Amino acid sequence: INAHSISASNDNVNGHYGIPSGNAGLPKPEIFASGFRNPWSMSKDPSSDDIYLGDVGGTEEVNRIIPSQHAGKKFGWGAGGNSGAYNCGDAAYVCPMAWYSGGAVTGVAVKRNIAGNWPAQYLNTVFHSDHKGNWIKYTPIGQNNSQPFDAGGHQPLGLMFGKLDGN
């Protein structure tokens, strides 16, 4: 990842550089998608190849990158600038699943439908945290209505799920 694009490449067992099939390659073969300002955190959905990316910079974004649909696509940064005025009807851009002005989206983590200690309302959601805003919110996958999870003033720098959560 660089400041404006996601590159996809691989090294095979012989150490040779390669570009995965299906990579859109715009403007270079290694570039999968563009339109990111400052990707800070990323989380892979454990039940798919989807990637959720927190993008910091004026307008904070949580982007859902679906590899089978988004090769060569441009994401929000540059479309709405710092105003947050995204034109989600414009097929040239993929709108963020969540965005807001100010703050610093510093953590993104996916919680799928896994039996365990979590209440049902939090399953199949994307959690995102904001360091400057001192909060954690969650957004159901496939929706764009973020809900508060924790506003305890913890200044989170990242999020992850692991064995310590009991699941």
Side-chain angles (χ1 to χ4, degrees), residues 111-124 161-167:
K111 186 67 176 170
R112 276 298 185 172
N113 192 12
I114 300 169
N117 300 327
W118 283 80
Q121 72 190 46
Y122 300 127
L123 302 179
N124 299 312
F161 290 104
K163 297 191 183 281
L164 294 176
D165 71 4
N167 293 311

Side-chain angles (χ1 to χ4, degrees), residues 14-103:
N14 297 321
H16 296 287
Y17 176 79
I19 299 168
S21 62
N23 222 33
L26 303 172
K28 296 181 179 182
E30 295 87 349
I31 304 237
F32 179 80
S34 63
F36 305 102
R37 181 172 182 184
N38 186 14
W40 182 272
S41 60
M42 190 182 325
S43 180
K44 183 181 178 295
D45 187 332
S47 66
S48 72
D49 288 331
D50 297 356
I51 296 170
Y52 293 85
L53 182 134
D55 198 5
V56 175
T59 298
E60 310 307 298
E61 300 175 4
V62 177
N63 292 287
R64 180 181 185 188
I65 303 164
I66 304 171
S68 64
Q69 297 175 19
H70 294 150
K73 296 289 185 175
K74 294 179 182 179
F75 282 75
W77 190 75
N82 285 338
S83 70
Y86 297 104
N87 183 357
C88 292
D90 186 343
Y93 294 96
V94 178
C95 276
M97 66 177 287
W99 70 91
Y100 56 94
S101 294

